[in-house]
Amino acid sequence: MDDSTTNSSSNSAAVPAVVRATARRQLAELGASGLSLDAVARDSGLTATAVEAVFAHRDDLLTALVVDAYDASGAAMERADRAAAAGGATAGARLLAATRALREWAFANPAEFTLIYGSPVPGYHAPQDTVPPASRTPAVLAGILRSALEAGELSPPRRTLPGGLLRPEALELFGGVPEAPFSDIVERGIVLWSSLIGLLVFQVFSRTHDSVLDEAAYFDAAIAVAAETVGLEVPLGEGGR
């Protein structure tokens, strides 16, 4: 094969990665609203034509970054959960490991965390392509709760949430509606999920730094409290903070 052809193919394959890396740097410096294809082309050393050949519009690039962020954060949780499960951890310990992994990712990648969990980007509407990657985080939580249910590690709730409030997709993600007294476990799982993300928003955006002495320890304790809403006990002694 002609070397020039090989080099041309390699360069073409590298362009999307270069564009994404440059866009992530700009995301950290300018925020999602300040992202533009022209600025990415200028800062990456590529031509505007080369950038637009990969991402025709700014929204296409934003979507790629959103998907990357959801995939990366979801993968971090999945790895932590698999490692905990392989070590024989209880469902509560698996939950703590997975949520800690998401917290670690969020603090290491605050711009990407802000992109997917911060204020909406004016004029941008995430397409359906972002739904499967976004589902990875709740899927990890659902898997842990399903394992806890099957292992008999859940305590029955003292107050149930009303049924009929969820979309079929949410029930499918969990694998159906369990028998009583755990028939509202999916509804409770959403409470846990929203508590996790809300807690991370407060910590990543420094909403608690002037009131909490040890935010890592507080995070663990808050997850344990949130887990009680689904009847799951999170161990905070040995292996905890």
Side-chain angles (χ1 to χ4, degrees):
M1 180 180 293
D2 184 87
D3 286 344
S4 62
T5 302
T6 302
N7 290 337
S8 177
S9 299
S10 299
N11 291 338
S12 298
V15 168
V18 171
V19 172
R20 277 177 156 90
T22 304
R24 281 192 290 269
R25 288 197 299 271
Q26 290 192 354
L27 201 62
E29 296 169 1
L30 306 173
S33 298
L35 193 67
S36 73
L37 296 184
D38 287 342
V40 168
R42 181 184 64 247
D43 290 355
S44 64
L46 298 168
T47 65
T49 301
V51 172
E52 291 172 3
V54 181
F55 300 104
H57 304 284
R58 181 212 64 164
D59 285 5
D60 297 327
L61 178 55
L62 269 178
T63 295
L65 296 178
V66 167
V67 168
D68 287 349
Y70 277 130
D71 277 337
S73 58
M77 293 184 72
E78 291 162 0
R79 287 192 298 270
D81 181 38
R82 283 196 301 270
T90 63
R94 287 171 57 188
L95 177 67
L96 185 59
T99 55
R100 280 176 173 175
L102 182 60
R103 182 179 188 271
E104 182 178 350
W105 178 87
F107 274 94
N109 303 275
E112 286 87 347
F113 177 84
T114 300
L115 177 63
I116 57 178
Y117 292 121
S119 300
V121 180
Y124 173 73
H125 302 283
Q128 193 68 19
D129 294 352
T130 62
V131 174
S135 298
R136 293 177 71 168
T137 289
V140 172
L141 301 180
I144 292 171
L145 293 185
R146 169 60 70 181
S147 295
L149 182 63
E150 293 172 351
E153 295 180 19
L154 295 182
S155 299
R158 286 179 293 179
R159 174 184 296 176
T160 59
L161 288 169
L165 299 178
L166 301 184
R167 295 179 179 274
E169 307 91 274
L171 300 174
E172 290 170 7
L173 182 67
F174 186 77
V177 179
E179 298 287 338
F182 301 107
S183 54
D184 65 346
I185 190 64
V186 182
E187 288 87 348
R188 290 176 174 279
I190 293 177
V191 174
L192 174 62
W193 177 27
S194 58
S195 297
L196 166 63
I197 301 304
L199 178 60
L200 285 174
V201 166
F202 261 57
Q203 292 203 337
V204 174
F205 298 161
S206 297
R207 297 291 188 268
T208 54
H209 73 282
D210 57 352
S211 54
V212 175
L213 292 174
D214 186 335
E215 294 203 73
Y218 184 86
F219 176 85
D220 287 359
I223 290 299
V225 170
E228 291 178 355
T229 65
V230 295
L232 185 61
E233 182 179 352
V234 171
L236 292 180
E238 184 178 352
R241 291 189 176 94

